Amino acid sequence: MTSPRTGPFWGFEILESDADPLPGDPILFEGMLAGYVTSASFGFRIGKRLALGFLSQGLARPASDSKSISFGTPRPAICRKPTFYDAENRRLRS
């Protein structure tokens, strides 16, 4: 298994939170450490709280449930590809 800091790069939609996770906050899958948040912010264009992070190889699947720990509290999240807005690049080509 690769280190969580060098594994695949994933995006996360934070489902219930009033605060963004901080860089270095852990990401959990099935209660086990799977990786770390690299950055997070509210995506105003899509109206969702988002985070990016590296995960250990083989732990993440798109649309799988995960948890991000922010300020010591586990928050539900959904694993996504890291392109949240205009993944097909259609707006650029219009």
Side-chain angles (χ1 to χ4, degrees):
M1 182 160 50
T2 61
S3 164
R5 294 192 189 270
T6 60
F9 193 62
W10 286 91
F12 298 90
E13 178 184 334
I14 310 297
L15 300 177
E16 299 173 10
S17 183
D18 53 353
D20 296 329
L22 299 173
D25 281 349
I27 299 168
L28 306 176
F29 276 97
E30 298 175 358
M32 295 177 51
L33 177 66
Y36 297 95
V37 172
T38 58
S39 62
S41 186
F42 186 79
F44 290 98
R45 176 84 55 192
I46 61 174
K48 298 178 181 180
R49 193 164 304 281
L50 308 171
L52 299 171
F54 288 101
L55 298 178
S56 296
Q57 189 73 33
L59 290 178
R61 298 172 306 282
S64 61
D65 293 333
S66 61
K67 290 192 186 284
S68 168
I69 296 183
S70 56
F71 301 102
T73 305
R75 316 275 181 172
I78 297 176
C79 186
R80 305 263 189 224
K81 292 185 178 181
T83 50
F84 296 102
Y85 178 73
D86 192 24
E88 291 82 29
N89 214 13
R90 290 186 180 145
R91 292 188 54 89
L92 181 65
R93 296 180 190 161
S94 58

